[in-house]
Every structure is written in C-alpha cells, then in structure tokens.
Amino acid sequence: MHKLIHVDGCGETGGGGKLLGGLLQGRQKPVKVNEDKGGLLRGIECFALDMDGTVYLGERWIDGAKDFLEAIERLGKRYVFVTNNSSKSPEVYVEKLGRMGLEAGVDKIITSGQAAIAYLKKHYPGKRVFLLGNDLLKQEFAGEGIYLEEERPEVVVTAFDTTLDYGKMCKVCDFVRGGLPYIATHPDYNCPTEEGFIPDAGAIHAFIHASAGRYPDRVIGKPNGDIIDYLVERTGAAKEKIVMVGDRLYTDIAAGKNNGLKGVLVLSGEASLKDLEESEVRPDLVFASVKEMIPFLG
C-alpha cells in the first residue's frame, strides 16, 4: 500500500532533499510544504480534483478527504472530480462514491473517456473507431453515438483496458502500424491502488511503440489541453478561478500549469518528495494531502 507521507516536521525526505521548517531543500528553489501564505486557495471557486491517489485509494478515503470536500461546499465553493482513469464510467464512480458515503451526481465526474468522446465528435464525426478499452468504456462510447468497429476502423483509440489480452494487443498494433490516426485517452504509466501500483495506459502505449514504432498522435487526458477545455466547458468557470489538485506532477500539475490553471500537488499518491525535487514541473502549492489544505480554503 502506498502510505501517506507526513511532511510537517524536520527530517530526511528520502529523496535527496531535507525538510527544514516546512521547506523542501533541493537542487531547485525551495518549495514550501503545507503553506499558502499568498492566499491562493481563498480566491479559487472551482477545485478540479484527481481521484486515485488524491482523495482515495481503492475503496478507502485518504485521511481527511471527506472533510476537505465538505469544507469546500460549506464555503460556497464547488468541486469536480477530474480523472484520467478511463476504465470506469461516470456512473461507476458515482456508485463507488456512494458506497464510500458521498452523495455525488454524474455532473461532478469528468473522465478522460468523456473528453475523448467530445474530441472524436468534433474532429472525427461519423468515423469508425477501434477502441482498446473495457466493456464499460465501449458502452459509454456507443451510447454517445461513436461507431465502434473491430475489423475496418478509421481511427484507433487506446484507453486503460483492464481486460487487456495478447490478442487485443496484436490487433491494435496492426492498426497503429498501418498508419491509422492514433488517439489515447491519457498518458499515465501507473494507476495507484490499495495494494500498490498497476500498469496504466502509458504502459500500454510503450508496448505499442515497441511493436508498431508509434506513440499516440493525440493524448486527450491530463496534462493536455483537450481535457482542460472540456473541464472549462462543463463547469463554466474561468480558468483563473480553477485549481487542479492531484498527486502526479506529469499529469495533474502539468495540466494546470500548461493550460492556465493553478496546480496543487498532494503527496498522498504517486509523486514523492524526490520526484518533486527532480521535476521541471513546479506546482503553485504543495501539501501532504488534501486534509492539510482545509485551513487555507477561506
């Protein structure tokens, strides 16, 4: 299990830097941890929250996450969940959150699968699509009018397929090798779970590249702009009033920094202090978890 890293005291980070008085000392400019002296969070109207590794792991809330969500709403602000995980439909996320004691509608869920559907409708209307994904995602695509085709597609879309097998990989590699437009829902290499990390869509892309010699022509999910455009369209919020909160520097935080949003890194999932020290992606704020953000919300 990936455990929460507490960073509110002094000591070694295990990542080549030291925590001294709440500062991460490394090769780059020191980063303040668990602080928001500039009041950035007070001015935010919409919190775009990653899910896996940010508010929960598996079926377990990360400590303080529900209190964080309640605090946002108590202050008259709002939140949406923005996940790159395309292996589940919005309805499945709603059911899961309900089992965990949170009543949330599908309007609070934004997935890379939904953003990919919007992209296909805009750029490849009516085209036959080979979708490397599980049955839930296939049902979602078909329900939105995307024509799925196994033998003679015009476009290839790859997702986080938790039912992946060798036959599927052979087929998708053939289509990609043949030069079809190649779109991916998201780039994440690993997905955090209660038991540890499992290979995600980025690992599938690496397999395809090794065989077919191509990476995706377009990646929809974080950190890329397509999912942010979809987020802004769905919420109606101004970019400067939205903050992306997540546990991955190369997806969540880069999504904010590359596309006009603020970015807050939490150390409760994939990213470690060593990753932060070595990364060129610099979040606006860093917290041990969303729990430590609560005092700074308003």
Side-chain angles (χ1 to χ4, degrees):
M1 183 185 298
H2 200 87
K3 296 182 179 179
L4 176 66
I5 303 172
H6 294 285
V7 293
D8 53 355
C10 298
E12 295 290 333
T13 68
K18 291 184 178 181
L19 283 172
L20 300 173
L23 295 180
L24 174 61
Q25 304 281 354
R27 289 189 294 273
Q28 300 197 40
K29 183 179 178 180
V31 175
K32 295 181 179 180
V33 180
N34 293 340
E35 292 187 18
D36 181 17
K37 290 185 177 179
L40 184 154
L41 295 178
R42 287 199 302 272
I44 294 298
E45 296 177 359
C46 181
F47 291 78
L49 308 173
D50 180 54
M51 302 180 81
D52 299 308
T54 298
V55 295
Y56 62 62
L57 287 172
E59 297 279 337
R60 178 180 63 83
W61 288 107
I62 288 173
D63 184 41
K66 281 192 70 178
D67 295 333
F68 171 70
L69 300 178
E70 292 169 0
I72 290 174
E73 293 192 321
R74 186 169 60 249
L75 291 166
K77 302 172 185 283
R78 55 186 168 138
Y79 64 86
V80 291
F81 296 112
V82 183
T83 178
N84 270 358
N85 189 339
S86 56
S87 70
K88 299 180 177 69
S89 67
E91 290 78 12
V92 170
Y93 282 114
V94 167
E95 291 175 6
K96 176 176 181 174
L97 292 169
R99 291 195 306 271
M100 296 171 65
L102 180 70
E103 295 297 324
V106 292
D107 60 307
K108 285 194 177 294
I109 310 295
I110 292 176
T111 72
S112 64
Q114 290 176 311
I117 289 170
Y119 181 84
L120 288 171
K121 286 182 175 181
K122 182 176 181 180
H123 296 280
Y124 296 95
K127 298 295 185 181
R128 301 185 302 273
V129 175
F130 175 83
L131 174 61
L132 186 72
N134 61 19
D135 288 342
L136 285 172
L137 190 63
K138 289 179 179 179
Q139 291 169 13
E140 187 176 3
F141 270 54
E144 289 291 332
I146 304 299
Y147 179 23
L148 300 182
E149 169 62 48
E150 292 285 322
E151 302 302 330
R152 296 186 304 108
E154 298 169 280
V155 182
V156 173
V157 176
T158 60
F160 179 20
D161 188 353
T162 55
T163 61
L164 194 63
D165 60 32
Y166 193 70
K168 286 185 178 183
M169 290 304 296
C170 289
K171 181 171 284 191
V172 72
C173 286
D174 283 344
F175 291 143
V176 170
R177 193 179 297 112
L180 292 180
Y182 173 19
I183 298 164
T185 57
H186 62 290
D188 304 50
Y189 293 108
N190 293 299
C191 179
T193 72
E194 288 182 293
E195 289 75 34
F197 294 108
I198 58 175
D200 206 324
I204 297 173
H205 304 161
F207 185 114
I208 295 171
H209 179 265
S211 175
R214 288 177 63 195
Y215 284 113
D217 303 319
R218 189 89 176 192
V219 181
I220 303 299
K222 299 174 288 186
N224 300 296
D226 294 305
I227 196 168
I228 300 303
D229 291 342
Y230 184 70
L231 163 67
V232 171
E233 179 182 342
R234 279 274 302 270
T235 63
K239 283 188 174 183
E240 61 269 20
K241 296 295 184 179
I242 304 174
V243 64
M244 181 67 67
V245 182
D247 65 302
R248 302 182 189 195
L249 286 158
Y250 67 95
T251 54
D252 301 319
I253 306 310
K257 302 299 288 185
N258 292 348
N259 297 288
L261 313 183
K262 300 299 183 182
V264 174
L265 177 69
V266 290
L267 301 172
S268 51
E270 180 176 298
S272 67
L273 293 174
K274 180 179 180 181
D275 296 328
L276 177 59
E277 179 189 357
E278 296 176 349
S279 176
E280 294 181 359
V281 179
R282 308 306 288 173
D284 293 289
L285 300 171
V286 181
F287 290 89
S289 73
V290 293
K291 178 181 180 180
E292 282 73 30
M293 295 172 62
I294 295 174
F296 303 99
L297 294 179

